[in-house]
Amino acid sequence: DVSVLQRYKYSAAALGIGLLVVTALFGREINGARLWLGVGPAQFQPSELMKLLLVIFMAAYLDERRQILSRADYRWATLKLSPLPYLVPLLLLWGLSLLLLIWQKDLGATVLMLGIALSMMYVATGRKTFVGAGMLLLLANVALTYKVFPYVHQRLEVWLHPWQLADGASYQIVQALYSVAAGGASGTGLGRGHPGFIPFASTDFIFAATAEQIGFAGILALLAIYLLLVLKALQIGLAQSTAFGQLLGVGCATVLALQCLVIMAGNLALIPLTGITLPFVSYGGSSLVVNFLLLGLLMKLSSGGSGIRTHGGAFDPTIA
């Protein structure tokens, strides 16, 4: 019964924070980022598991607090604020995202974690102020770290001036853009073209490498598959009889949608490049395992794991 997870929300949060701290202190640094824990040849990326733990915690916490968070009891200038003690999780998420940037140099995880949390808070409360506040916090994190940490500075410079730095720091993204352009409408064909010119073609730049081989038409088909998967996840979530089940399903859908959005936009230089994987396409054991766990949760929800809404029932108006 998936609803059993609701009782362990604080355990999920503690496990996620513990993994972050352990990775920051004892993790392996690869390509300038400390993201992996490992023993011998085996290694695991804890940030992949953290996104699932975050969904479980947020679903359970918002199920208990959404009525209070939906109220605007305090005013600050023109803003209506929820009771301040219940905004603590949002502040903790801001601190967590800042630590991800400072300790692990992981801009992708920062964007993904904040995006998941803000999306679920908006779905639970219907308040746009949470989304606006979260975006301001993300911009504040980037602004704070831009001048201090070369990693963030370089990522933004590469995004803003890719062609001026094509022979240096922007080499990866420029090769990715050339690869997408070379694919044209129909692509070069599977196994053909020159995806090897792109560094990390099987992981960070899998979208660009795939676009070269299957072309614009193939990419549209791939996007359609992801869209169907996300829509089905949302449908499963909204069909639940409990608010926890609804939020859990919507959270899983958000994880899939944000992962696709962030890596595709990063490969096309629409946003700064991040190290997010493309679900079920990018190479990576940690990502694949966690994404299958996510699908397992959705399948359990669809089979009645947390109580399916009957035809005579009604959606929770706040969630719907």
Side-chain angles (χ1 to χ4, degrees):
D1 188 354
V2 175
S3 62
V4 173
L5 295 173
Q6 189 172 6
R7 300 202 301 264
Y8 298 98
K9 57 182 179 295
Y10 292 113
S11 298
L15 178 59
I17 294 174
L19 286 173
L20 169 65
V21 173
V22 171
T23 306
L25 295 177
F26 306 106
R28 295 177 176 177
E29 185 169 330
I30 301 177
N31 298 322
R34 192 184 297 271
L35 302 177
W36 288 266
L37 288 176
V39 178
Q43 59 186 19
F44 177 73
Q45 192 168 347
S47 60
E48 291 292 334
L49 183 60
M50 282 175 62
K51 64 190 180 187
L52 191 56
L53 295 173
L54 177 62
V55 168
I56 294 172
F57 169 75
M58 292 297 295
Y61 183 85
L62 291 173
D63 181 29
E64 292 182 359
R65 303 287 193 269
R66 60 195 175 88
Q67 297 294 344
I68 298 175
L69 288 171
S70 299
R71 298 203 315 263
D73 293 343
Y74 301 96
R75 283 182 176 273
W76 181 67
T78 59
L79 296 178
K80 296 180 179 180
L81 302 176
S82 296
L84 294 180
Y86 297 99
L87 295 179
V88 171
L90 183 60
L91 297 177
L92 289 176
L93 285 169
W94 170 74
L96 178 63
S97 63
L98 184 60
L99 290 177
L100 282 170
L101 268 177
I102 295 175
W103 283 357
Q104 296 190 343
K105 302 178 183 179
D106 193 354
L107 184 61
T110 300
V111 174
L112 186 60
M113 297 297 176
L114 271 178
I116 293 169
L118 295 175
S119 299
M120 295 182 69
M121 291 182 77
Y122 174 71
V123 169
T125 64
R127 296 188 58 191
K128 298 178 182 179
T129 52
F130 285 126
V131 180
M135 294 302 295
L136 289 176
L137 291 176
L138 177 60
L139 292 175
N141 284 349
V142 175
L144 285 171
T145 55
Y146 177 76
K147 296 293 184 181
V148 179
F149 298 100
Y151 165 80
V152 179
H153 180 85
Q154 184 183 49
R155 284 295 175 97
L156 290 179
E157 288 297 314
V158 165
W159 173 53
L160 293 172
H161 311 290
W163 303 106
Q164 291 89 326
L165 305 172
D167 292 331
S170 298
Y171 177 80
Q172 295 174 326
I173 190 63
V174 167
Q175 289 298 321
L177 293 173
Y178 278 135
S179 185
V180 173
S186 58
T188 58
L190 291 177
R192 298 185 177 182
H194 302 282
F197 287 174
I198 312 172
F200 308 106
S202 62
T203 52
D204 293 357
F205 289 95
I206 189 66
F207 177 75
T210 303
E212 180 181 4
Q213 297 181 58
I214 66 178
F216 183 68
I219 286 300
L220 287 180
L222 181 63
L223 286 173
I225 294 173
Y226 280 127
L227 181 61
L228 288 173
L229 182 60
V230 171
L231 289 177
K232 185 61 179 178
L234 289 172
Q235 182 184 33
I236 290 171
L238 291 176
Q240 304 303 304
S241 62
T242 65
F244 173 73
Q246 291 175 346
L247 286 165
L248 193 62
V250 170
C252 291
T254 302
V255 172
L256 291 171
L258 282 178
Q259 283 191 133
C260 296
L261 175 64
V262 169
I263 189 172
M264 290 178 182
N267 277 200
L268 296 174
L270 298 176
I271 64 172
L273 183 65
T274 63
I276 297 294
T277 56
L278 190 61
F280 309 110
V281 177
S282 294
Y283 173 82
S286 303
S287 173
L288 191 62
V289 169
V290 172
N291 283 324
F292 271 119
L293 286 173
L294 186 147
L295 287 187
L297 279 178
L298 288 171
M299 292 176 67
K300 189 62 178 176
L301 286 172
S302 69
S303 65
S306 113
I308 295 294
R309 179 177 66 90
T310 62
H311 293 293
F315 287 127
D316 185 300
T318 306
I319 303 298

